[in-house]
Amino acid sequence: MTIRLTLDELWERHLQKAEENLQWDSSDKLDTTYHFDTQIAQGWQREIFLREGIFLKIYSAQQCDQLLIDNPEKDFQVIRCSFALSGNEHKLITFKPNEITIPLTAGKYYIRSNGLLPHVTDYEDTKPRSLIAINVSPQVLSSFVASSERELPQTLQHLVKSSR
């Protein structure tokens, strides 16, 4: 049976379960691990805030069934680079009249940022999946790679441009 949820529905269910299963690292309040709703997946996600504007996500889970998540167009406040360690995920990006499928399989990565088109993420593989994602705010990225004029190189400017 395929489970289909909007991103908001997934987070609502996830956050309800997170409150029940929240585990704090007693030595670091910026390091949080929580478990997923077991009706959707067995597994956990860990978020580590490294400094203002940078956080790391480590994810390890196995879905009960195929999971489709409807993602609306959204202005992301971070640039995310995700690295797949195991398993498969597919993003079906739909924009009239075309569709593109972007696979993320073990050993691959992708970068996403502002202005991502509405899409469906298809977690079709019910085998265990793990990934690491580094999330950086546009301001922090600029501080790392901006020129002396405080401008990002031309090849990176599209990552921080607003979609509006």
Coordinates of all heavy atoms in Angstrom, one line a residue, residues 66-111:
Q66 N 5.7 2.1 0.3 CA 6.1 3.2 -0.6 C 5.6 4.5 0.0 O 4.4 4.6 0.4 CB 5.7 3.0 -2.0 CG 6.0 4.2 -3.0 CD 5.5 4.0 -4.4 OE1 4.6 3.2 -4.6 NE2 6.1 4.7 -5.3
L67 N 6.4 5.6 0.0 CA 5.9 6.9 0.6 C 6.1 8.0 -0.5 O 7.1 8.1 -1.1 CB 6.8 7.2 1.8 CG 6.5 8.6 2.5 CD1 5.1 8.7 3.0 CD2 7.6 8.8 3.6
L68 N 5.0 8.7 -0.8 CA 5.0 9.8 -1.7 C 4.7 11.0 -0.9 O 3.7 11.1 -0.2 CB 3.9 9.6 -2.8 CG 4.0 8.4 -3.7 CD1 2.8 8.3 -4.6 CD2 5.3 8.5 -4.5
I69 N 5.6 12.0 -1.1 CA 5.4 13.3 -0.4 C 5.2 14.4 -1.4 O 6.1 14.6 -2.2 CB 6.6 13.6 0.5 CG1 6.8 12.5 1.5 CG2 6.4 14.9 1.3 CD1 8.0 12.6 2.4
D70 N 4.1 15.1 -1.3 CA 3.8 16.2 -2.2 C 4.4 17.5 -1.6 O 4.0 17.9 -0.5 CB 2.3 16.5 -2.3 CG 1.6 15.3 -3.1 OD1 2.1 15.0 -4.2 OD2 0.7 14.7 -2.6
N71 N 5.4 18.1 -2.3 CA 6.1 19.3 -1.8 C 5.7 20.5 -2.6 O 5.8 20.5 -3.8 CB 7.6 19.1 -2.0 CG 8.2 17.9 -1.2 OD1 8.6 18.1 -0.1 ND2 8.2 16.7 -1.8
P72 N 5.2 21.5 -1.9 CA 4.8 22.7 -2.7 C 6.0 23.5 -3.1 O 7.1 23.3 -2.6 CB 4.0 23.5 -1.6 CG 4.6 23.1 -0.3 CD 5.0 21.7 -0.5
E73 N 5.9 24.5 -4.0 CA 7.0 25.4 -4.3 C 7.2 26.2 -3.0 O 6.3 26.6 -2.3 CB 6.6 26.4 -5.4 CG 7.7 27.3 -5.7 CD 7.4 28.1 -7.0 OE1 6.3 28.0 -7.5 OE2 8.2 28.9 -7.3
K74 N 8.5 26.4 -2.7 CA 8.8 27.0 -1.4 C 10.1 27.7 -1.5 O 11.0 27.3 -2.2 CB 9.0 25.9 -0.4 CG 9.3 26.3 1.0 CD 9.3 25.2 2.0 CE 9.5 25.7 3.4 NZ 9.4 24.7 4.4
D75 N 10.2 28.9 -0.8 CA 11.5 29.6 -0.7 C 12.2 29.0 0.4 O 11.9 29.1 1.6 CB 11.2 31.1 -0.4 CG 11.6 32.0 -1.5 OD1 12.2 31.5 -2.5 OD2 11.4 33.2 -1.4
F76 N 13.3 28.2 0.2 CA 14.1 27.6 1.2 C 15.0 28.7 1.8 O 15.5 29.5 1.1 CB 14.9 26.5 0.7 CG 14.2 25.3 0.3 CD1 13.8 25.0 -1.0 CD2 13.7 24.4 1.3 CE1 13.1 23.9 -1.4 CE2 13.0 23.3 0.9 CZ 12.7 23.0 -0.4
Q77 N 15.1 28.7 3.1 CA 16.0 29.6 3.7 C 17.4 29.0 3.9 O 18.2 29.6 4.6 CB 15.4 30.0 5.1 CG 14.1 30.7 5.0 CD 14.2 31.9 4.0 OE1 15.0 32.8 4.2 NE2 13.3 32.0 3.1
V78 N 17.7 27.9 3.3 CA 19.0 27.2 3.4 C 19.3 26.6 2.0 O 18.5 26.4 1.2 CB 19.0 26.1 4.4 CG1 18.8 26.5 5.8 CG2 18.1 24.9 4.0
I79 N 20.6 26.4 1.8 CA 21.1 25.7 0.7 C 21.4 24.3 1.3 O 22.1 24.2 2.3 CB 22.3 26.3 0.0 CG1 22.0 27.6 -0.6 CG2 22.9 25.4 -1.0 CD1 22.4 28.8 0.2
R80 N 20.9 23.2 0.7 CA 21.1 21.9 1.3 C 21.8 21.0 0.3 O 21.4 20.9 -0.9 CB 19.7 21.2 1.6 CG 19.9 19.8 2.0 CD 18.6 19.1 2.3 NE 18.1 19.7 3.6 CZ 16.9 19.6 4.1 NH1 16.0 18.9 3.4 NH2 16.6 20.1 5.2
C81 N 22.9 20.4 0.8 CA 23.6 19.4 0.0 C 23.4 18.1 0.7 O 23.8 17.9 1.8 CB 25.1 19.8 -0.1 SG 26.0 18.7 -1.2
S82 N 22.7 17.2 0.0 CA 22.4 15.9 0.5 C 23.3 14.8 -0.1 O 23.4 14.8 -1.3 CB 20.9 15.5 0.3 OG 20.1 16.4 0.9
F83 N 23.8 13.9 0.7 CA 24.6 12.8 0.3 C 24.0 11.5 0.7 O 23.7 11.3 1.9 CB 26.0 12.9 0.9 CG 26.7 14.2 0.7 CD1 26.6 15.2 1.5 CD2 27.6 14.3 -0.4 CE1 27.2 16.4 1.3 CE2 28.3 15.5 -0.6 CZ 28.1 16.5 0.2
A84 N 23.7 10.7 -0.3 CA 23.0 9.4 0.0 C 24.1 8.3 0.4 O 25.1 8.2 -0.4 CB 22.2 8.9 -1.2
L85 N 23.9 7.7 1.5 CA 24.8 6.7 1.9 C 24.3 5.3 1.6 O 25.1 4.4 1.3 CB 25.0 6.8 3.5 CG 25.5 8.1 4.0 CD1 25.6 8.1 5.5 CD2 26.9 8.5 3.4
S86 N 23.0 5.1 1.6 CA 22.4 3.9 1.2 C 20.9 4.1 0.8 O 20.3 5.1 1.2 CB 22.4 2.8 2.3 OG 21.6 3.3 3.4
G87 N 20.4 3.2 0.0 CA 19.0 3.3 -0.4 C 18.7 4.2 -1.6 O 19.7 4.6 -2.2
N88 N 17.4 4.4 -1.9 CA 17.0 5.2 -3.1 C 15.9 6.1 -2.7 O 15.1 5.9 -1.9 CB 16.5 4.2 -4.2 CG 17.5 3.3 -4.7 OD1 18.6 3.7 -5.1 ND2 17.2 2.0 -4.6
E89 N 15.9 7.2 -3.4 CA 14.8 8.2 -3.4 C 14.7 8.8 -4.7 O 15.7 8.9 -5.4 CB 15.0 9.2 -2.2 CG 15.1 10.6 -2.6 CD 15.4 11.5 -1.4 OE1 15.7 11.1 -0.3 OE2 15.4 12.7 -1.6
H90 N 13.5 9.2 -5.1 CA 13.4 9.9 -6.4 C 12.5 11.2 -6.2 O 11.5 11.1 -5.5 CB 12.7 9.0 -7.4 CG 13.5 7.8 -7.8 ND1 13.4 6.6 -7.1 CD2 14.3 7.6 -8.8 CE1 14.3 5.8 -7.7 NE2 14.8 6.4 -8.7
K91 N 12.9 12.2 -6.8 CA 12.1 13.5 -6.8 C 11.6 13.6 -8.2 O 12.3 13.7 -9.2 CB 13.0 14.7 -6.5 CG 13.4 14.7 -5.1 CD 14.1 16.0 -4.7 CE 14.6 16.0 -3.3 NZ 13.7 15.6 -2.2
L92 N 10.3 13.6 -8.3 CA 9.6 13.9 -9.6 C 9.2 15.3 -9.6 O 8.3 15.8 -8.9 CB 8.3 13.0 -9.7 CG 7.5 13.2 -11.0 CD1 8.3 12.9 -12.2 CD2 6.2 12.4 -10.9
I93 N 10.0 16.1 -10.4 CA 9.7 17.6 -10.5 C 8.8 17.8 -11.7 O 9.1 17.4 -12.8 CB 11.1 18.3 -10.8 CG1 12.2 17.9 -9.8 CG2 10.9 19.8 -10.8 CD1 12.0 18.3 -8.4
T94 N 7.7 18.4 -11.4 CA 6.6 18.7 -12.4 C 6.5 20.2 -12.7 O 6.3 20.9 -11.7 CB 5.3 18.1 -12.0 OG1 5.4 16.8 -11.7 CG2 4.2 18.3 -13.0
F95 N 6.7 20.6 -13.9 CA 6.4 21.9 -14.3 C 5.8 21.8 -15.7 O 6.3 21.1 -16.5 CB 7.7 22.8 -14.3 CG 8.8 22.3 -15.0 CD1 9.1 22.8 -16.3 CD2 9.7 21.4 -14.5 CE1 10.2 22.3 -17.0 CE2 10.8 20.9 -15.2 CZ 11.0 21.4 -16.4
K96 N 4.7 22.5 -15.9 CA 4.0 22.4 -17.1 C 4.8 22.8 -18.3 O 5.5 23.8 -18.3 CB 2.8 23.4 -17.1 CG 1.9 23.1 -15.9 CD 1.1 21.9 -16.0 CE 0.0 21.8 -14.9 NZ 0.2 21.0 -13.8
P97 N 4.9 21.9 -19.3 CA 4.3 20.6 -19.5 C 5.2 19.5 -19.3 O 5.0 18.4 -19.8 CB 3.8 20.7 -21.0 CG 5.0 21.4 -21.7 CD 5.4 22.4 -20.6
N98 N 6.3 19.7 -18.6 CA 7.4 18.7 -18.5 C 7.4 18.1 -17.1 O 7.0 18.6 -16.1 CB 8.7 19.3 -18.8 CG 8.8 19.9 -20.2 OD1 8.4 19.2 -21.1 ND2 9.2 21.1 -20.3
E99 N 8.1 16.9 -17.0 CA 8.5 16.3 -15.7 C 9.9 15.8 -15.8 O 10.4 15.4 -16.9 CB 7.6 15.0 -15.5 CG 6.1 15.3 -15.2 CD 5.3 14.1 -14.9 OE1 5.8 13.0 -15.1 OE2 4.2 14.2 -14.4
I100 N 10.6 15.9 -14.7 CA 12.0 15.4 -14.6 C 12.0 14.5 -13.4 O 11.5 14.9 -12.3 CB 13.0 16.6 -14.4 CG1 12.9 17.6 -15.5 CG2 14.4 16.1 -14.3 CD1 13.7 18.9 -15.2
T101 N 12.7 13.4 -13.5 CA 12.9 12.6 -12.3 C 14.4 12.7 -11.9 O 15.3 12.5 -12.7 CB 12.6 11.1 -12.5 OG1 11.2 11.1 -12.9 CG2 12.8 10.3 -11.3
I102 N 14.7 13.0 -10.6 CA 16.0 13.2 -10.1 C 16.2 12.0 -9.1 O 15.6 12.1 -8.0 CB 16.2 14.5 -9.5 CG1 16.0 15.7 -10.5 CG2 17.6 14.6 -8.9 CD1 16.0 17.0 -9.8
P103 N 17.0 11.0 -9.5 CA 17.3 10.0 -8.5 C 18.4 10.3 -7.5 O 19.3 11.0 -7.9 CB 17.7 8.8 -9.4 CG 18.4 9.5 -10.6 CD 17.6 10.8 -10.8
L104 N 18.2 9.9 -6.3 CA 19.3 10.0 -5.3 C 19.5 8.6 -4.8 O 18.7 8.0 -4.1 CB 18.9 10.9 -4.2 CG 20.0 11.1 -3.1 CD1 21.2 11.7 -3.7 CD2 19.4 12.0 -1.9
T105 N 20.6 8.0 -5.2 CA 21.0 6.7 -4.8 C 22.3 6.7 -4.1 O 23.1 7.7 -4.1 CB 21.1 5.7 -6.1 OG1 22.1 6.3 -6.9 CG2 19.8 5.7 -6.8
A106 N 22.6 5.6 -3.4 CA 23.8 5.5 -2.6 C 25.0 6.0 -3.5 O 25.2 5.6 -4.6 CB 24.0 4.1 -2.1
G107 N 25.8 6.8 -2.8 CA 27.0 7.3 -3.5 C 26.8 8.6 -4.3 O 27.7 9.2 -4.9
K108 N 25.6 9.1 -4.4 CA 25.2 10.3 -5.2 C 24.9 11.4 -4.2 O 24.7 11.2 -3.0 CB 24.1 10.0 -6.1 CG 24.3 8.9 -7.1 CD 25.3 9.2 -8.1 CE 25.5 8.1 -9.1 NZ 26.6 8.3 -10.0
Y109 N 24.8 12.6 -4.8 CA 24.4 13.8 -4.0 C 23.6 14.7 -4.8 O 23.5 14.6 -6.1 CB 25.6 14.5 -3.5 CG 26.4 15.2 -4.5 CD1 26.1 16.6 -4.8 CD2 27.4 14.6 -5.3 CE1 26.9 17.2 -5.9 CE2 28.1 15.2 -6.2 CZ 27.8 16.5 -6.5 OH 28.5 17.2 -7.5
Y110 N 22.9 15.7 -4.2 CA 22.2 16.8 -4.9 C 22.3 18.0 -4.0 O 22.4 17.9 -2.8 CB 20.8 16.4 -5.3 CG 19.8 16.3 -4.2 CD1 19.1 17.4 -3.7 CD2 19.4 15.1 -3.7 CE1 18.2 17.3 -2.7 CE2 18.5 15.0 -2.7 CZ 17.9 16.1 -2.2 OH 17.0 16.0 -1.2
I111 N 22.1 19.2 -4.7 CA 22.0 20.4 -4.0 C 20.7 21.1 -4.3 O 20.3 21.1 -5.5 CB 23.2 21.4 -4.4 CG1 24.5 20.7 -4.0 CG2 23.0 22.8 -3.8 CD1 25.7 21.5 -4.5

